[in-house]
Amino acid sequence: YARLNGLDTLILEKTVNMGGECCGWERQGHQIDNSVHWLTGTKPDTDIYKVWCETGALGPEIRTIPVDPFFVMDLPSGRKFHLWHDLGRLKEELMGIAPEDEKEIETLVNAIAGYRKMQVSAMMPNELGTLKFWMLTVWRMRGALIPHIRFAKITIREYARRFKNAE
């Protein structure tokens, strides 16, 4: 948008994936990189895709390739945990690590499925939303309403306490 508004811009990326260390920190001698290394909103029927096209980041001639798993973490036991796009694989992986948490794993996977149905508008700032905008927003969020109500007022730490497996 800076370029579209007449500003000279230059974007530098050192890796093949978009992202970088825009949100990283040091903890106990380890560098934690919490940046976005995947681009959300790549489905052509979403508002975010339209924004990416307007800025030149995406378009019909640009191909995106989903990477699965999109995150891998070393667990204290030495095992690797893979975060899969495929919710069936994710559930299977979590059950392999913590079968005693089946109920919470099921709840988590269902919540993710609900949030996936949500379409966030990127075409107008919320502050400028009309009644029609807000009605459409609620409609687009319908799949995520129940999980959002369930989880919006608790911290990640509180949520983690629901799991029996400490790994």
Side-chain angles (χ1 to χ4, degrees):
Y1 281 105
R3 188 181 65 198
L4 290 174
N5 285 289
L7 300 172
D8 289 330
T9 58
L10 175 64
I11 299 172
L12 303 174
E13 179 57 60
K14 73 173 187 172
T15 66
V16 295
N17 295 322
M18 286 190 251
E21 196 173 320
C22 62
C23 181
W25 64 91
E26 183 106 6
R27 177 186 256 174
Q28 299 175 356
H30 299 281
Q31 182 63 27
I32 310 298
D33 181 0
N34 198 31
S35 297
V36 176
H37 285 289
W38 59 90
L39 185 65
T40 61
T42 58
K43 292 180 183 174
D45 62 337
T46 64
D47 285 352
I48 296 173
Y49 180 83
K50 293 172 192 163
V51 171
W52 290 130
C53 290
E54 284 178 8
T55 60
L58 287 178
E61 71 287 350
I62 299 173
R63 192 172 70 130
T64 59
I65 302 169
V67 178
D68 216 2
F70 65 92
F71 182 79
V72 180
M73 180 174 63
D74 293 322
L75 299 177
S77 66
R79 260 180 104 155
K80 291 199 179 294
F81 167 68
H82 302 83
L83 196 52
W84 302 96
H85 287 279
D86 180 312
L87 294 182
R89 286 183 89 174
L90 175 62
K91 181 179 176 183
E92 184 180 309
E93 178 118 3
L94 290 169
M95 288 298 297
I97 294 168
E100 66 274 23
D101 286 314
E102 181 176 11
K103 181 181 176 224
E104 285 304 327
I105 290 169
E106 185 74 34
T107 300
L108 175 63
V109 170
N110 287 339
I112 294 169
Y115 275 104
R116 280 188 173 175
K117 294 175 187 173
M118 187 172 84
Q119 290 186 33
V120 178
S121 175
M123 305 312 285
M124 178 187 303
N126 289 342
E127 301 81 35
L128 301 178
T130 62
L131 178 61
K132 181 179 176 183
F133 167 85
W134 283 107
M135 289 174 65
L136 182 59
T137 298
V138 169
W139 176 253
R140 288 175 157 186
M141 290 182 66
R142 68 190 178 280
L145 285 176
I146 291 172
H148 190 71
I149 290 167
R150 178 180 286 158
F151 299 118
K153 294 189 178 182
I154 64 171
T155 66
I156 292 173
R157 178 171 286 155
E158 290 168 330
Y159 180 63
R161 287 186 191 128
R162 295 180 181 186
F163 293 83
K164 297 175 184 100
N165 188 302
E167 193 166 47

